[in-house]
Amino acid sequence: MTTPAQTAVAATPEEAQLARIGRRRQRKSFIASIVGQLLEWYEWSAYAVFAPFIALALFNPDDAVSGLLATFGVFAIGFLFRPLGGIVFGRIADRRGRRFVLVTTMLMMAGASVAIGLLPTFESIGLAASLLLLLARIIQGFAHGGESATANSYIAEIAPAHKRGLWGSAVFMTIFGGAFLAFVLGGVITGALSEPQVQAWGWRIPFLLGAVLAVVALWLRIGMVESQVFQEGTDDEDPAAADPAAAASAAEAVPADQQADRVAVRDGLGEDSFSADTLKPLSPALSIVLIFFLVSGVAASNYTWTSYVSTYAQTQEGMSPSGAYWALVAALVVGLASLPFWGAVSDRWGRKPVLYVFTVGTIVTVFPLMGFIDARPWTLFASTSIALFLLSAGAALLASVMAETFPTSSRTAKIGFAYSLATAVFGGTTPYVNELAVSQGVPWASNLFIAFAAALALWAAWRLPERKGIDLTIVR
């Protein structure tokens, strides 16, 4: 029986030093990945936060409802291109490495953000303004699909196996954190500027600021190390790896700092720690369907409570924009604090019990929580805080569960397809479905949509094997 800490002891002082250097570089790479993701999600969330102003600026201002629906429609179309980006960049990441993709997607997101911030208004160039916005969101969606898939693989692969749930929760912390930053800026801008000023030019600030900050994130990402799990996978496919003499000769030619990145630090549970049924490979189709359903439940809830609910509070309940933004900011703090908590709980008690908290809790509470919101900002804060606490139980585990489901050779490509498709179907369309249901006088239909997605996630959680802390190199 293997133990949870199967850490290989270095044979020489030189190897021990290399191991220490490798661990430091992995921590720095972890930070670089998280900072980059945080900024990308900030840019992505800024669109939803300023949706009412974008609708009037870049669509026909004579029909506010139609403009808002069109704005959320463009939001959904951006998501529709995420599966394509996940597939394309996922295959690149599985062949060329995770680091290359994370740098490329950072550049694409920053460029599209600048474009949105500089777009002429509908009044200036008519329909071309709407079409250019659509093009920018397509580019962002394509890049975001590759970013999300690669980041989920990368963080899970460089994390210590016994802390994979905790480290993996940081991936979704960037999603909440990006929304947090966007809402903070939304509160500052709407509080400091008059509504006509925000409508005229203030809504452009977050997109231009995000592009500037992305330069810093890009500089950090260029120095990232490659995932050791990916390196070992490519070594296994390298004919030279079968020749000890050739392998030793090749190792001598690698600089010391790069050798440090490749020193094995084993702490994953081996095959003796799991039953045969748990280790039995899932069929490719079934594994993708299960992850699709799991992510769908998280995405529908997430985009309701972080992207749509503030617009609902403003347009349907009469809440002030500033009050709605700051209520969401406070609630997102609760969500951010909940993510590492649930990640750590899953490392101790397993993934499945925590996933049950998310799925069952969401199904039971979505109707009363949405119905509790009125014009008072504190009602928005209370409802959203509870919803995000439950959502965090599922969101925190996505990176670790997906990594423990898919093999290294195709992990990023499969995550890219399942994750991005789920967020396109149940995430990108959620604000549109919510707004459409409310405009038609059937707000309960949007709540039913969220509950249905959570029910799909509940079945997936029940069907997925429990592989907490497994050595990712033995996942087949």
Side-chain angles (χ1 to χ4, degrees):
M1 177 73 70
T2 55
T3 63
Q6 297 173 303
T7 305
V9 179
T12 67
E14 290 78 11
E15 290 177 345
Q17 176 65 13
L18 287 175
R20 286 192 292 271
I21 294 173
R23 283 191 289 268
R24 284 198 299 270
R25 286 170 62 87
Q26 281 187 321
R27 286 192 290 270
K28 290 181 180 179
S29 297
F30 171 79
I31 294 172
S33 177
I34 293 304
V35 170
Q37 278 189 280
L38 179 66
L39 288 175
E40 290 201 24
W41 279 107
Y42 155 77
E43 293 169 347
W44 189 261
S45 301
Y47 183 90
V49 171
F50 287 89
F53 301 103
I54 294 173
L56 293 177
L58 301 179
F59 292 90
N60 188 351
D62 295 333
D63 189 342
V65 174
S66 176
L68 190 58
L69 284 173
T71 304
F72 283 131
V74 172
F75 185 81
I77 289 172
F79 272 90
L80 292 177
F81 277 82
R82 288 184 62 170
L84 180 60
I87 294 170
V88 172
F89 281 118
R91 290 181 63 84
I92 294 173
D94 286 333
R95 294 173 184 271
R96 294 196 56 178
R98 314 328 189 189
R99 178 176 57 184
F100 173 81
V101 170
L102 291 174
V103 171
T104 302
T105 54
M106 185 87 257
L107 287 170
M108 293 178 66
M109 284 292 295
S113 182
V114 171
I116 293 175
L118 297 177
L119 280 179
T121 64
F122 185 92
E123 185 178 359
S124 300
I125 61 173
L127 184 60
S130 306
L131 295 177
L132 288 172
L133 174 65
L134 175 62
L135 177 61
R137 289 296 291 181
I138 287 174
I139 293 172
Q140 284 192 325
F142 185 75
H144 225 292
E147 163 76 20
S148 298
T150 308
N152 275 290
S153 292
Y154 184 78
I155 296 300
E157 289 175 352
I158 69 172
H162 64 289
K163 294 183 179 180
R164 189 176 295 133
L166 177 61
W167 280 44
S169 69
V171 176
F172 219 88
M173 287 181 71
T174 64
I175 300 178
F176 280 0
F180 173 83
L181 292 177
F183 277 107
V184 165
L185 195 56
V188 170
I189 290 174
T190 56
L193 303 176
S194 66
E195 187 167 336
Q197 288 175 319
V198 178
Q199 186 59 62
W201 53 270
W203 66 269
R204 300 178 184 273
I205 295 174
F207 298 100
L208 299 175
L209 179 62
V212 173
L213 295 176
V215 175
V216 178
L218 180 62
W219 176 75
L220 290 173
R221 282 194 168 185
I222 290 174
M224 290 167 57
V225 301
E226 188 52 82
S227 142
Q228 177 187 302
V229 172
F230 170 77
Q231 289 177 328
E232 292 184 2
T234 56
D235 286 346
D236 291 342
E237 298 173 0
D238 186 356
D243 184 349
S249 177
E252 291 175 359
V254 177
D257 62 338
Q258 294 182 27
Q259 289 185 39
D261 300 338
R262 302 175 73 91
V263 172
V265 182
R266 278 275 182 261
D267 62 348
L269 295 172
E271 295 181 3
D272 293 343
S273 298
F274 300 92
S275 67
D277 286 341
T278 301
L279 290 175
K280 182 180 178 181
L282 300 172
S283 70
L286 177 59
S287 62
I288 288 175
V289 168
L290 293 175
I291 295 301
F292 173 86
F293 283 166
L294 181 62
V295 177
S296 295
V298 171
S301 182
N302 175 50
Y303 287 100
T304 293
W305 294 103
T306 64
S307 296
Y308 171 74
V309 72
S310 101
T311 298
Y312 168 82
Q314 294 174 58
T315 59
Q316 301 300 318
E317 300 296 339
M319 191 176 297
S320 68
S322 181
Y325 289 160
W326 287 115
L328 261 293
V329 166
L332 283 167
V333 172
V334 175
L336 280 167
S338 302
L339 286 164
F341 166 76
W342 288 119
V345 169
S346 78
D347 284 328
R348 182 173 181 84
W349 300 107
R351 317 298 188 210
K352 294 167 79 76
V354 178
L355 291 176
Y356 292 149
V357 170
F358 156 63
T359 52
V360 175
T362 298
I363 293 170
V364 170
T365 62
V366 61
F367 280 89
L369 289 180
M370 191 63 74
F372 185 69
I373 299 171
D374 57 30
R376 297 168 295 176
W378 75 266
T379 62
L380 179 61
F381 164 74
S383 292
T384 306
S385 294
I386 296 171
L388 294 185
F389 177 75
L390 295 172
L391 168 62
S392 296
L397 273 59
L398 286 184
S400 56
V401 170
M402 290 189 296
E404 292 164 352
T405 300
F406 297 125
T408 302
S409 61
S410 60
R411 179 171 295 126
T412 308
K414 288 180 177 177
I415 289 177
F417 178 72
Y419 185 95
S420 298
L421 185 61
T423 53
V425 175
F426 284 91
T429 60
T430 296
Y432 187 89
V433 169
N434 287 336
E435 179 67 20
L436 184 61
V438 170
S439 67
Q440 296 299 314
V442 287
W444 55 267
S446 63
N447 298 337
L448 188 63
F449 180 76
I450 299 167
F452 171 70
L456 295 178
L458 174 61
W459 178 78
W462 171 74
R463 185 64 180 80
L464 283 165
E466 176 62 76
R467 293 174 176 173
K468 172 182 71 73
I470 193 172
D471 179 348
L472 293 182
T473 63
I474 67 172
V475 175
R476 297 291 183 265

